[in-house]
Amino acid sequence: MAGMGNERHLETGSLAPPPPGKDVVRVYGMKFCPYVQRLKLVLAAKGVKHETININLVRKPEWYFTKNPKGLVPTLEINGIYIYESDITSAYIDAVYPGRKLMTEDPLKKAKEQMLLGDHAKTIAFYKYACSSDPEVRKQGSETAKLGLGALEKFLKQAKTAFVCGDQPGFTDYMMWPHIERLGVFLPDLIPTFELVKKYFDDMGLDSAVKACRFSNELHIEFFNFEESFRAGEKRRLYDCGEVVEYSFPTAK
Amino acid sequence: MAGMGYGRHFATGSKAPPSPKQDVLRVYSMKFCPFAQRLKLVLAAKGVKHETVNIDLSKKPEWYLEKNPRGLVPTIEINGEIIYESDITASYVDAVYSGRKLTTQDPMKKAKELILFGDNGKTVAGFYAVITSPDNKEKQAEGYKTLNTGLEKLDKFLSEEKTTFVGGEEPGFTDYMIWPHLERLSMYVGYTFSEYPNVKKYFDNMRKDKAVQACRLPNELHEEFRASLRAKNTCYDIGIVEEYNFD
Ligand SMILES: N[C@@H](CCC(=O)N[C@@H](CS)C(=O)NCC(=O)O)C(=O)O
Ligand SMILES: N[C@@H](CCC(=O)N[C@@H](CS)C(=O)NCC(=O)O)C(=O)O
């Protein structure tokens, strides 16, 4: 399993990579992006082979906008077709590739999971606050995250299953995990205040896709500290943090 | 076809209606709500029988927040289960009820439609910016700019797919999700879509659709509703008003 991909982040002025081979799944990503991680988790859980090209998001290569006009990651490229947005790319992969079907076929269950994913936006919002140096703002972030985790706690209680999707992690679990992983790193005291969420957090940690796509707390913090200094105006950002893999094609003009 | 539903809007202090009978689909709605209209369009296109309970959104009944903690419409209730959010409820209805399948089964087409639906968020946001700031030229201009980025994507989609509707040769799920705000753009601000020839043609074709016609309320009624909103005395029960009969 390829995990998050340690490929070097290509930046402004780099050469566009040659198109992927026939039927090859290519992911444009950023190593620490939680939205890319959603897609990577789905790929890992299904065992879908793919290649990764990482993008430096503060110095985006000019050619990247021809792949995704929004300039965000993740983007999928397959046989000349581009798809973007983490949930849309993930659903596409789940529908098209063999392996375990991650999305439930039960319309009622699906609707409930989608509503939960709506509530999860509150958990996601914590990340914005967490980047603030103002303790008041950080506290606000933790209050917002509490609402999101509260919804998850309630869902797990009613569903009576270990995971949101059942007895195995499924589509919605993989959509939610990346921000929960980061919550565990940056607000470690919050998760244990929810009994079922705590158990869920630990159980998810045992999943092989989660393991394959997870970073150590230290690496998360190393990246985050750079991000914070970036926000503070230092104009640098360490995407190539940790292990770095070079491409087999030329990237410099 | 039931259209938007004429039932009186339940307000604060009202007694909760009895639960819907076995297998009866109930929609909590508001007659002029574009999000409720998305769901109503899907119900109409499929011919799904349902009952409507309208909610006074300026004076929400206490019991409604127990159904939907977000306090928004639409919500559906069936056999004790509650679902809310327009796209989620509509998608549930499309999956569960017989009649024409409105959502495409082709994963690539579905992905493209979902991206377009995301871009439609700009049309919706721009629309609200325009109608909520009648006296603020700057905000208006910004609103139009935002909604034009959304319409541009729709125009491009239609020209690339070369189909009459987003869903193909018949209106499909995504068409019914984006229609209510397009209808209001025309009705509320007289938008003509003249800069977007594909959207203009699309708009005219959508207007002829049976479900669209069934869920359309007269312009004058919308006008009256909006005037009451502006006067901060929102009147939902205008035009035809029906009383409930729950047995
Ligand atoms: N709605 C998008 C969000 C993706 C996103 O925000 N990715 C971030 C990196 S974590 C990004 O590309 N940022 C670049 C930018 O904002 O220009 C999705 O779900 O894929
Ligand atoms: N995201 C919701 C939005 C629904 C919505 O905003 N409905 C409005 C009426 S048009 C509402 O319920 N407003 C009540 C309120 O904001 O308190 C959906 O798609 O269903």
Side-chain angles (χ1 to χ4, degrees), chain A residues 64-157:
Chain A
Y64 186 57
F65 291 93
T66 65
K67 317 269 180 200
N68 178 346
K70 297 188 190 173
L72 303 177
V73 290
T75 300
L76 265 182
E77 177 175 0
I78 307 164
N79 295 330
I81 304 234
Y82 299 98
I83 308 176
Y84 37 83
E85 292 297 316
S86 55
D87 51 346
I88 301 177
T89 49
S90 299
Y92 174 79
I93 292 290
D94 189 37
V96 165
Y97 289 87
R100 189 159 73 83
K101 273 280 163 272
L102 301 176
M103 181 98 78
T104 174
E105 299 286 327
D106 173 358
L108 180 60
K109 188 140 192 346
K110 188 165 171 178
K112 288 185 178 174
E113 291 183 20
Q114 287 173 331
M115 289 191 280
L116 177 66
L117 205 50
D119 292 327
H120 178 66
K122 299 233 164 64
T123 304
I124 293 181
F126 107 88
Y127 199 66
K128 196 179 79 203
Y129 296 106
C131 300
S132 171
S133 51
D134 181 345
E136 254 326 290
V137 174
R138 274 215 287 266
K139 187 156 165 274
Q140 214 180 319
S142 144
E143 290 305 313
T144 311
K146 248 185 223 168
L147 298 174
L149 293 184
L152 175 56
E153 178 82 7
K154 194 170 157 211
F155 185 100
L156 292 168
K157 192 166 171 191

Side-chain angles (χ1 to χ4, degrees), chain A:
Chain A
M1 272 184 288
M4 289 300 288
N6 291 318
E7 282 76 3
R8 184 175 294 288
H9 292 74
L10 298 180
E11 54 177 58
T12 318
S14 65
L15 277 177
K22 186 168 184 319
D23 294 337
V24 170
V25 177
R26 176 182 288 173
V27 177
Y28 295 91
M30 186 278 272
K31 192 163 150 181
F32 297 94
C33 171
Y35 300 97
V36 172
Q37 193 179 358
R38 288 177 163 182
L39 172 60
K40 291 282 189 165
L41 285 163
V42 166
L43 290 162
K46 296 183 75 87
V48 178
K49 276 214 190 117
H50 61 279
E51 59 183 35
T52 302
I53 291 188
N54 279 328
I55 303 294
N56 181 324
L57 295 174
V58 297
R59 293 177 34 84
K60 290 177 190 165
E62 299 77 355
W63 52 260
Y64 186 57
F65 291 93
T66 65
K67 317 269 180 200
N68 178 346
K70 297 188 190 173
L72 303 177
V73 290
T75 300
L76 265 182
E77 177 175 0
I78 307 164
N79 295 330
I81 304 234
Y82 299 98
I83 308 176
Y84 37 83
E85 292 297 316
S86 55
D87 51 346
I88 301 177
T89 49
S90 299
Y92 174 79
I93 292 290
D94 189 37
V96 165
Y97 289 87
R100 189 159 73 83
K101 273 280 163 272
L102 301 176
M103 181 98 78
T104 174
E105 299 286 327
D106 173 358
L108 180 60
K109 188 140 192 346
K110 188 165 171 178
K112 288 185 178 174
E113 291 183 20
Q114 287 173 331
M115 289 191 280
L116 177 66
L117 205 50
D119 292 327
H120 178 66
K122 299 233 164 64
T123 304
I124 293 181
F126 107 88
Y127 199 66
K128 196 179 79 203
Y129 296 106
C131 300
S132 171
S133 51
D134 181 345
E136 254 326 290
V137 174
R138 274 215 287 266
K139 187 156 165 274
Q140 214 180 319
S142 144
E143 290 305 313
T144 311
K146 248 185 223 168
L147 298 174
L149 293 184
L152 175 56
E153 178 82 7
K154 194 170 157 211
F155 185 100
L156 292 168
K157 192 166 171 191
Q158 282 174 357
K160 296 190 182 66
T161 50
F163 301 101
V164 169
C165 300
D167 298 324
Q168 267 187 298
F171 190 82
T172 305
D173 293 293
Y174 292 131
M175 295 303 106
M176 294 175 60
W177 175 255
H179 288 93
I180 295 182
E181 175 179 314
R182 284 159 183 75
L183 201 59
V185 178
F186 297 106
L187 288 177
D189 299 338
L190 196 55
I191 288 173
T193 63
F194 295 91
E195 190 188 338
L196 297 173
V197 172
K198 170 75 175 81
K199 192 164 175 310
Y200 174 74
F201 183 81
D202 295 340
D203 288 342
M204 280 295 282
L206 301 175
D207 179 66
S208 56
V210 166
K211 280 188 190 158
C213 299
R214 194 169 186 172
F215 290 126
S216 67
N217 287 8
E218 294 69 39
L219 200 59
H220 269 302
I221 290 166
E222 193 179 336
F223 176 70
F224 181 82
N225 285 342
F226 260 87
E227 175 161 278
E228 203 173 22
S229 56
F230 167 74
R231 275 165 213 264
E234 284 182 32
K235 291 278 173 252
R236 63 202 175 117
R237 201 165 172 186
L238 190 63
Y239 289 109
D240 295 313
C241 182
E243 202 185 315
V244 179
V245 171
E246 302 298 339
Y247 298 97
S248 58
F249 47 83
T251 57
K253 282 179 188 162

Side-chain angles (χ1 to χ4, degrees), chain B residues 15 31 34 47 56 68-69 88 90 95 97 105 184 191 193 209 220 224 237 240-241:
Chain B
K15 204 170 139 254
K31 208 155 121 182
D56 181 331
N68 178 347
I88 301 177
Y97 290 92
Q105 300 297 310
R184 280 163 185 71
Y191 199 91
F193 306 101
D209 179 66
E220 308 75 62
E224 197 179 333
D237 296 314
I240 305 169
V241 177

